[in-house]
Amino acid sequence: MKTKIININKIFTWNPEKDSLDILTNKQILIENNSIVKIENNINDDCKIIDANYCSLTPGFIDSHTHPIFIGDRSKEFYNRSKGFSYEDIKNSGGGILSSIKKVQDSSFDELFESSINNIKPFINHGTTTLEAKSGYGLSVKDEIKSLMVIKKINDELPIDIIPTFLGAHAIPQAYNSDDYVKLICEEMIPQVSEKKLAEFCDVFCEDGYFNINQSKKILETAKKYNLLPRLHADEFKCFGASVLAAEMNALSADHLMVINDKGIKALSHSKTIATILPGTTFFLNKKKYADGRKLIDSGCNLSIATDFNPGTCTIRSLPNIMHLSIQNCGLTLEESFLAVTYNAAKSLNRHQNRGLIKKEFLADFIFWDINRLEEIPYWFDSQSKIKKIFKNGLEVYKSS
């Protein structure tokens, strides 16, 4: 069935050929089989009509880094940090990532599914139509498989695309030393994840005290042998070569990058790896040092931004708010922040062939905004109030009341 969208105020979309923002006016859009088939001034095809009521359209937003597969919350830690508790204080009192791991390991499949789908549903109302979701709070063969099966079921049930990432290398369980756990990941977890076709990507938290360069490289090389594409948490707390490794491994993205050095920036700028920054985490933790997005872009890196939604260090699910933070604290322009949640985010998920743009042959993923200027998206900090409809694959998945 064909569907035509009429009475569009403006269309905001990136133009990869010109490497600039396009603002289209007096256009109609024709959709067929979930995709855009025409963008013209007047479309005369006999079809169903959708009246945009003079809303402006952008592509559906793409969140390329989230950790939504968990149970409960860690709000007590948020409050304790405000009283001066350190990460080590919280960890020693039974909090931190280990508390999330225990809850996932103690949960049934149904309990984890119900909690996780409720973690993900609010993303839709903020305009996210494609979402990367990591495992990583299971850290055993059984519980990592369980987490990825939960992601698969959520993808089947929700109208947006949930893209699964295996993050067994998120932390080292208390029962293992690091080398033995890396062996478990490489010899048992990755083969089973691949055999069951439960993940598209493999991520590693390459950081001092977690997984070092050699361990991270071993995990990602094993993952590639099993057809899992590499991603990397890199240069968040200590710079010791993680971004260089990401470039060497042809990782789709290197994420965080708060303390990346010039060598790491040069490596990313000469690679196809997307530099992904996560300002919501810095904001949520009330830290002062944000990733230097301006330097990354000026040095030639392709850059995306994402929420890093997780139970401990960022509970933001709004990419418009992440745009705001990236402009205010990371040196991005308005246009760069928009590119970072659309086309560049699609690149980081290997989905740039069919989403992230409003363009012929791309998916009909749209946000209908009650705005006249693109600046309004990050300007209204409650920008959800400006979203009137959201379409995924040409179908309405959200309508404001």
Side-chain angles (χ1 to χ4, degrees), residues 62-65 232 234-235 243 253-260 265 268 274-282 289-297 301-309 319 322-323 325-333 336-337 340-341 344-345 348:
I62 298 167
D63 197 337
S64 62
H65 185 126
L232 204 63
D235 298 337
S243 292
S253 70
D255 300 18
H256 283 291
L257 309 180
M258 274 93 80
V259 296
I260 189 172
I265 293 173
L268 293 182
I274 301 295
T276 300
I277 61 174
L278 309 167
T281 307
T282 311
K289 182 176 173 56
Y290 284 78
D292 192 344
R294 178 78 273 129
K295 184 174 182 179
L296 288 162
I297 292 171
C301 298
N302 288 313
L303 186 134
S304 71
I305 57 178
T307 62
D308 192 25
F309 174 77
L319 281 172
I322 300 299
M323 289 174 65
L325 292 172
S326 73
I327 294 167
Q328 195 169 61
N329 298 294
C330 303
L332 273 66
T333 66
E336 288 164 347
S337 73
V341 297
N344 275 359
S348 81

Side-chain angles (χ1 to χ4, degrees), residues 77-266:
E77 294 175 25
F78 171 79
Y79 180 63
N80 284 341
R81 279 195 299 269
S82 73
K83 295 194 295 183
F85 282 52
S86 69
Y87 177 82
E88 284 302 314
D89 293 334
I90 291 168
K91 181 180 177 182
N92 292 336
S93 65
I97 188 174
L98 294 178
S99 66
S100 294
I101 292 165
K102 186 175 188 309
K103 288 177 182 176
V104 167
Q105 291 180 342
D106 290 345
S107 69
S108 68
F109 177 90
D110 289 341
E111 289 169 338
L112 186 58
F113 170 79
E114 286 300 324
S115 176
S116 300
I117 196 170
N118 288 326
N119 291 336
I120 290 174
K121 283 178 180 177
F123 281 93
I124 300 172
N125 302 350
H126 292 289
T128 297
T129 55
T130 299
L131 177 121
E132 182 261 13
K134 304 179 193 294
S135 65
Y137 294 119
L139 304 196
S140 70
V141 176
K142 175 178 69 107
D143 294 302
E144 283 297 303
I145 295 293
K146 177 175 71 178
S147 297
L148 290 166
M149 289 179 68
V150 163
I151 294 173
K152 185 178 188 298
K153 185 176 179 183
I154 293 171
N155 183 57
D156 291 341
E157 296 212 2
L158 291 184
I160 66 171
D161 289 330
I162 317 290
I163 303 174
T165 295
F166 167 63
L167 182 58
H170 196 191
I172 299 160
Q174 292 175 313
Y176 288 85
N177 66 47
S178 60
D179 287 336
D180 285 345
Y181 185 58
V182 169
K183 184 178 180 181
L184 179 72
I185 291 171
C186 293
E187 295 184 4
E188 296 189 43
M189 290 188 184
I190 289 174
Q192 290 192 40
V193 168
S194 175
E195 181 185 0
K196 297 175 187 295
K197 295 181 169 56
L198 290 174
E200 187 169 333
F201 308 117
C202 178
D203 199 345
V204 178
F205 188 33
C206 183
E207 185 59 64
D208 189 36
Y210 291 85
F211 298 91
N212 63 32
I213 293 293
N214 289 335
Q215 291 168 333
S216 300
K217 185 175 183 179
K218 180 178 180 180
I219 292 166
L220 294 181
E221 284 179 340
T222 303
K224 289 172 79 171
K225 290 177 184 176
Y226 284 89
N227 298 314
L228 299 178
L229 300 175
R231 315 179 72 79
L232 204 63
H233 284 60
D235 298 337
E236 180 177 4
F237 302 119
K238 185 176 180 180
C239 183
F240 61 90
S243 292
V244 174
L245 175 64
E248 289 175 355
M249 296 297 299
N250 296 313
L252 283 163
S253 70
D255 300 18
H256 283 291
L257 309 180
M258 274 93 80
V259 296
I260 189 172
N261 62 13
D262 289 344
K263 184 178 179 181
I265 293 173
K266 184 178 180 181

Side-chain angles (χ1 to χ4, degrees), residues 49-65:
I49 303 294
I50 300 291
D51 190 341
N53 291 311
Y54 300 98
C55 283
S56 295
L57 268 62
T58 67
F61 286 170
I62 298 167
D63 197 337
S64 62
H65 185 126

